[in-house]
Structure formats: C-alpha cells, structure tokens
Amino acid sequence: MARIIVVTSGKGGVGKTTTSAAIAMGLAKKGHKTAVIDFDVGLRNLDLIMGCERRVVYDFVNVINGEASLNQALIRDKHCDLLYILPASQTRDKDSLTQEGVGKILEDLSKDFKYIVCDSPAGIEKGAHLAMYFADDAFVVTNPEVSSVRDSDRMLGLLSSKSRRAEQNEEPIKEYLLLSRYSPDRVKLGEMLSVDDVQEILSLHLLGVIPESKSVLNASNSGTPVILDEKSDAGQAYADIVARYLGEDKPHRFIDEKKGLFGKFFGSK
Amino acid sequence: MSTDFQKTPHAVPALEFKSSSFSVPVLVLSGNDLTAIDHQLQKKIQLAPEFFKNSPIVFDVQDLNKQDLDIDIAELTGILYKAGLLPIGIRGGNELQNNKALELLIPIYSQHHSVSTESLPKEKNKPETQKVPSAEPKTESSTTLITHPVRSGQRIYSTGDLIILAQVSAGAEILAEGNVHVYNTLRGRVLAGVLGNEEARIFCSDLQAELISIAGNYKVSEDLNESIRNKPVQVYLQEHTLIIKDIV
Ligand SMILES: Nc1ncnc2c1ncn2[C@@H]1O[C@H](COP(=O)(O)OP(=O)(O)OP(=O)(O)O)[C@@H](O)[C@H]1O
Ligand SMILES: [Mg+2]
C-alpha cells in the first residue's frame, strides 16, 4: 500500500508545486518508488518544474475518462528511475476530475508505488478537495505572512473534517507544516512572521523551513527539481524535509539569519 | 355505540396520544416598539444564524401586559417569520391577544404549560406571575468535549456545556447553550448561553477572541481591554454587561 501525501495550502503561489517536485524527487532518490500527480487541471505546471513538458502524451483526465491507461500516461523522470509524473490536462476544465475517478487511479497506483504525492491547486474548491480527499499525510505549505497562515488554518480544518479519513472515522490525516520562502532578515525587520509566530497560530508539527532562494527560480527554469541542486540552501532544506519525514533526526536549519564574517569569527548571535 | 365501534374493521388503533415534553426557546418581550424588536432580533440571530433558522419559538408578552403596553400580534408574528423563526405559541397574553393568536393558528400557553420551567428548581415555589427566564435550559443538556484544534471556518455547537482542550483559531466559531471552557488559546468567536441562559460563563486560558457573547450580550475584539488579553480569564454577565476577569 502506498502512502498518499497531499501538498496543499489554500493560498496560491506559496510553493506547492515547487515542494511537490522536490519531495517526490527526494523520496525517489531515497529508493522509494514514487508518483507525483498534478491536480491543477487547466493550469499545469508540475511538468515544467519536472522538465518533462515535452514528453506529455496523455494526462490525468485521459486516464479518468478511460482514454488512456495509467501506464500510458505516467512519465518516467529523466533523473531518477523510481520517479513517475502524472501530468494535468491543460485543455480540460476542472470539472473533469471526479471523486470516483481520482479514487480509482490512486487505488491502482497504490499497488505499485510506495509514495504518491498530490500537488494541489490553490483554493478550497473541487480540485483542492479532491487532491486532499484520499490523503494519508498532508504537507501544508505556508509562507510567513498572515493571509497565508490563515488560509492554511482553513485548509487544516477541511483536512480534519472533509477528507475520506474524517468521513470514515479513521485515524486522522497526519499534518505537517512546511514554512516556505522564509527570510530571516525580513523576519528581523518585522516584515514577516517568525517560525515561532506561525507555530503559535497553527500549532502544527514543523517538518522544515525552506528559505527564500534564487536557486528555486533557477531550478524551475532548467526543469530540475531544486532538491537536485545539492549546494543550494533550498535544495538542502528539501533534503532535510524528506529525511525528517522518513524518520531521520535532523536539526532545523535556515531559521536564523546568515551570520556575517564578523559573526562567524566571534560566534555572536 | 361502543359495541358498534368494536365491530368496525378499524378497531386496530391507528393512532395514540402520548405526552411528551420539548424544550423550546421563549422570546420574552419587554418593549412593544416593533421596529426595535425587529432590529434587535436580527442582531441576535446574526450571532448564530444557523441555529435560529426554522427554530420553533414561543413568545411571551406577559411583561408587556404588566406594563399595560399593547402589541400587534399579527405584526409581531410577521417579524418572527421574517427572521426565520416559526412561532408555535403565545404566553402571558390577554384575551384579545390570545384570540388574535388563535386566528393565526398559534396555540396559547399558560404559565403552567410553560415547557420546562418545572426543571428549574428555583422557579418551583414561586408564584406564577414570576418573570421566567427568556429561554429555558434544555431538560437534558449534554456536554461536548473537543480535543482537536477548531480551525478557521469550522463551527462547533453544544446543546450543553462545551469543553475544548485545543486551540480555537481566528475564523472559527464555537457555540454552547451552556458554559464554554477553552483550555488553550481562544482566537475565534465564542458564544455561550446562546438560547438566553444568562448564567452561562466563558472560561479560557488565553483570551484573543474575535467576539465573545453570553446570552446575546457581546463584545468584539476591538472592545476588549488590553489588560485582559492574552491571559486566563472568565467572562460572565452582570446586569446585562459582560464582565471579564482573571480566573482566581
Ligand atoms: N523557496 C522559494 N524561494 C524563492 N522563490 C520561490 C520559493 N518557493 C517558490 N518560489 C517561487 O514562487 C512561485 C510560486 O511557486 P509554486 O508554483 O511552487 O507555488 P504554488 O503554490 O504551486 O502556486 P499555485 O497555487 O499557483 O499552484 C514560483 O515563481 C516559484 O519559483
Ligand atoms: Mg502549483
């Protein structure tokens, strides 16, 4: 049986797709057969971030409609044999996804894969609902600002009441906080909420902090998930997150501002 | 006659009268200005719109009659219907008012009928002219215990007391007919005594609420004094005023 992870947020543009690509790659690189599904029908971009946009023949909606088999639609990643991408359709509208159809695909994938990562669209409408409905774990991506935190809170409410696990009275979805686009300097200036502020409002298990980083843009321009850029701070942050999710004990990083040379020499904080 | 009846094929009883008691909110009127009633009713209902939707209601005009204030029963029921309530009785009306109510197919309740005043020990030995509370507590109230966080957009309603062990987020709403206890941070909207129980209290270990209300008397976040924020407090009603105090 696969473990189904939804990457969700409520608010748009906070880093869900970046995160989905990175952790799916991270899990696969750790030796787990992983599929990543783009639920953002009409606005596909997971395939761009994964650098497989030119190999898309069939998509998620084709499979649901029975126009293609899962095997035909799944694209094997060019960097890692254990990673597969199920792209979204650009031409269909959002109503093409049905709960039954999604459930069937996840069930089929579960037989063969260890992890299934669902990249949720923004909002709390149908697409977002279907992305999280069957989840076992939820990665709630939040930016350190009030509106994003509030939307995450709303999404957490839906996870605990409108998911399959909630409806069938099963053990609830495991929820993790991923604080993304974090900038310690701006926190210090009072322009952003701190890790503690966000934790205090959401009271959620912190899986990791991803710093605001140029490497993310570079990675998406080149179509390689940022986790493959092992020298970058964001890449390392995602590697830590995958390791922690798999049970490794890694201290949190990227929370404090970078120490200047002076700070390094004298160990001042 | 009775033997005839026994011979009929319909002797198997198709119905039976049983006695059963219900608890129904009572709207106690203290003024006869219909515009004011309309306005204040809307305001109260906005605090818990879902709860009041299609709720049966008995209206009590005894206080008005004591003050010799008359009220147009037809217009009053119109206001109630408009507010989404379903009037199912009049109480404390004079003969004219009762007749008008019957015309409108609204039954008359005497004070003896009063749905569950019996369950209030305090009321027992008092004369029947005694003013009754604006809404009776349920005969069987049940406590609701919530152990998970109440998130933005979620709503919890308890017919009795409500005890919450986790945080209540901004944008969440918790309501109880009785007391509300939150042993954590309270950031959302909290309403105790929603059926009018003025004895209801609110307790929380960290007050940051967006709105607090007891029996319809409310304060919004802006009205909360800095001195009682971010710490354990209790809230109760005194002379229709919300008192917020440290828990000692
Ligand atoms: N850690 C980061 N540092 C800098 N930029 C980032 C970071 N994470 C994401 N971004 C940028 O933010 C933008 C939105 O990212 P992404 O597409 O992953 O968000 P999303 O939540 O999937 O958006 P949508 O809600 O539209 O699906 C992109 O331009 C991306 O490059
Ligand atoms: Mg996206």
Side-chain angles (χ1 to χ4, degrees), chain B residues 37-217:
Chain B
I37 291 174
D38 188 10
H39 183 71
Q40 289 174 23
L41 195 60
Q42 296 291 350
K43 249 171 91 183
K44 294 240 164 167
I45 284 176
Q46 266 161 29
L47 295 174
E50 278 308 307
F51 178 76
F52 286 109
K53 200 169 166 196
N54 296 332
S55 166
I57 191 132
V58 171
F59 53 90
D60 186 323
V61 291
Q62 180 184 270
D63 270 12
L64 295 186
N65 287 325
K66 266 200 264 175
Q67 300 171 56
D68 268 339
L69 295 173
D70 198 20
I71 189 163
D72 188 320
I73 300 299
E75 283 200 36
L76 174 63
T77 51
I79 288 173
L80 297 178
Y81 282 121
K82 196 184 81 187
L85 298 166
L86 301 172
I88 57 153
I90 179 173
R91 194 168 71 176
N94 58 31
E95 205 180 327
L96 227 81
Q97 291 166 334
N98 287 349
N99 286 340
K100 186 71 203 168
L102 280 179
E103 259 175 47
L104 298 165
L105 304 179
I106 292 175
I108 298 154
Y109 286 89
S110 70
Q111 294 296 341
H112 297 292
H113 261 98
S114 81
V115 202
S116 58
T117 26
E118 305 90 272
S119 72
L120 282 176
K122 274 195 288 181
E123 298 285 330
K124 251 187 186 161
N125 306 320
K126 294 190 179 166
E128 61 172 76
T129 47
Q130 174 74 33
K131 182 179 182 279
V132 293
S134 53
E136 282 87 345
K138 295 233 165 172
T139 20
E140 291 163 77
S141 60
S142 57
T143 299
T144 307
L145 175 70
I146 305 284
T147 55
H148 56 79
V150 186
R151 302 286 184 182
S152 175
Q154 290 187 311
R155 206 161 163 279
I156 308 271
Y157 188 97
S158 171
T159 53
D161 285 358
L162 178 58
I163 302 175
I164 300 183
L165 301 182
Q167 65 168 13
V168 178
S169 294
E173 189 172 55
I174 55 173
L175 307 97
E177 291 174 21
N179 306 301
V180 177
H181 306 252
V182 179
Y183 296 103
N184 208 308
T185 310
L186 172 53
R187 295 195 179 87
R189 298 157 65 89
V190 53
L191 297 91
V194 289
L195 290 192
N197 180 0
E198 301 183 341
E199 302 296 309
R201 291 188 180 214
I202 297 166
F203 305 87
C204 73
S205 46
D206 183 354
L207 180 71
Q208 303 180 25
E210 296 170 314
L211 174 141
I212 49 177
S213 162
I214 296 174
N217 303 272

Side-chain angles (χ1 to χ4, degrees), chain A residues 150 152-158 160-161 175 199-204, chain B residues 148-154 167 169-172 185 187 206 208 210:
Chain A
R150 178 68 85 92
S152 294
D153 193 68
R154 185 82 207 273
M155 187 47 75
L156 287 162
L158 297 175
S160 64
S161 59
E175 303 156 341
Q199 284 268 78
E200 154 106 33
I201 299 174
L202 292 178
S203 55
L204 207 58
Chain B
H148 56 79
V150 186
R151 302 286 184 182
S152 175
Q154 290 187 311
Q167 65 168 13
S169 294
T185 310
R187 295 195 179 87
D206 183 354
Q208 303 180 25
E210 296 170 314

Side-chain angles (χ1 to χ4, degrees), chain A residues 37-126:
Chain A
I37 307 179
D38 191 348
F39 275 76
D40 210 344
V41 174
L43 280 173
R44 69 166 208 221
N45 54 32
L46 178 70
D47 50 346
L48 295 173
I49 307 281
M50 302 293 301
C52 66
E53 74 278 10
R54 289 191 290 167
R55 290 189 285 147
V56 174
V57 183
Y58 297 108
D59 59 52
F60 197 5
V61 174
N62 290 134
V63 182
I64 285 186
N65 292 347
E67 295 150 5
S69 71
L70 251 181
N71 281 334
Q72 286 174 305
L74 284 171
I75 302 172
R76 177 184 284 192
D77 184 77
K78 61 187 172 203
H79 304 283
C80 182
D81 283 354
L82 290 173
L83 179 59
Y84 290 79
I85 299 116
L86 185 55
S89 170
Q90 245 174 342
T91 50
R92 311 301 180 101
D93 71 278
K94 288 183 286 246
D95 294 331
S96 319
L97 295 185
T98 60
Q99 181 156 311
E100 204 191 351
V102 172
K104 176 79 172 59
I105 288 185
L106 291 175
E107 197 185 312
D108 289 351
L109 285 173
S110 286
K111 291 176 194 142
D112 203 22
F113 286 85
K114 184 76 192 298
Y115 292 102
I116 301 169
V117 178
C118 302
D119 178 19
S120 173
I124 53 173
E125 305 303 321
K126 194 175 172 194

Side-chain angles (χ1 to χ4, degrees), chain A:
Chain A
M1 268 309 269
R3 195 93 190 150
I4 300 174
I5 302 170
V6 63
V7 178
T8 187
S9 68
K11 191 170 159 66
V14 297
K16 292 180 295 295
T17 301
T18 305
T19 300
S20 300
I23 59 158
M25 178 63 79
L27 289 166
K29 295 259 291 177
K30 288 262 188 187
H32 305 291
K33 194 170 179 189
T34 301
V36 56
I37 307 179
D38 191 348
F39 275 76
D40 210 344
V41 174
L43 280 173
R44 69 166 208 221
N45 54 32
L46 178 70
D47 50 346
L48 295 173
I49 307 281
M50 302 293 301
C52 66
E53 74 278 10
R54 289 191 290 167
R55 290 189 285 147
V56 174
V57 183
Y58 297 108
D59 59 52
F60 197 5
V61 174
N62 290 134
V63 182
I64 285 186
N65 292 347
E67 295 150 5
S69 71
L70 251 181
N71 281 334
Q72 286 174 305
L74 284 171
I75 302 172
R76 177 184 284 192
D77 184 77
K78 61 187 172 203
H79 304 283
C80 182
D81 283 354
L82 290 173
L83 179 59
Y84 290 79
I85 299 116
L86 185 55
S89 170
Q90 245 174 342
T91 50
R92 311 301 180 101
D93 71 278
K94 288 183 286 246
D95 294 331
S96 319
L97 295 185
T98 60
Q99 181 156 311
E100 204 191 351
V102 172
K104 176 79 172 59
I105 288 185
L106 291 175
E107 197 185 312
D108 289 351
L109 285 173
S110 286
K111 291 176 194 142
D112 203 22
F113 286 85
K114 184 76 192 298
Y115 292 102
I116 301 169
V117 178
C118 302
D119 178 19
S120 173
I124 53 173
E125 305 303 321
K126 194 175 172 194
H129 178 255
L130 286 175
M132 67 84 162
Y133 185 77
F134 298 96
D136 301 304
D137 299 315
F139 286 11
V140 179
V141 182
T142 306
N143 290 166
E145 45 162 290
V146 173
S147 62
S148 172
V149 172
R150 178 68 85 92
D151 283 3
S152 294
D153 193 68
R154 185 82 207 273
M155 187 47 75
L156 287 162
L158 297 175
L159 289 168
S160 64
S161 59
K162 296 277 182 329
S163 60
R164 183 188 59 84
R165 281 173 174 269
E167 283 176 10
Q168 300 186 357
N169 255 322
E170 289 177 24
E171 195 183 315
I173 294 177
K174 277 211 180 69
E175 303 156 341
Y176 301 93
L177 173 63
L178 277 71
L179 195 53
S180 185
R181 309 199 68 166
Y182 196 75
S183 163
D185 295 328
R186 295 190 60 193
V187 171
K188 205 173 180 200
L189 289 171
E191 295 172 357
M192 276 186 174
L193 298 174
S194 69
V195 178
D196 289 344
D197 293 337
V198 178
Q199 284 268 78
E200 154 106 33
I201 299 174
L202 292 178
S203 55
L204 207 58
H205 179 74
L206 179 70
L207 197 56
V209 173
I210 305 115
E212 171 78 25
S213 167
K214 275 206 200 73
S215 59
V216 173
L217 188 63
N218 296 339
S220 66
N221 283 339
S222 66
T224 41
V226 69
I227 197 168
L228 293 177
D229 183 355
E230 288 167 17
K231 288 206 188 70
S232 70
D233 46 2
Q236 291 173 16
Y238 279 118
D240 283 4
I241 283 170
V242 171
R244 282 190 205 106
Y245 174 68
L246 293 174
E248 286 175 48
D249 189 17
K250 294 251 176 197
H252 284 288
R253 296 196 268 170
F254 312 111
I255 293 179
D256 296 317
E257 65 233 89
K258 287 191 197 88
K259 289 172 191 163
L261 259 189
F262 190 81
K264 263 187 199 146
F265 277 125
F266 297 96
S268 68
K269 247 203 158 180

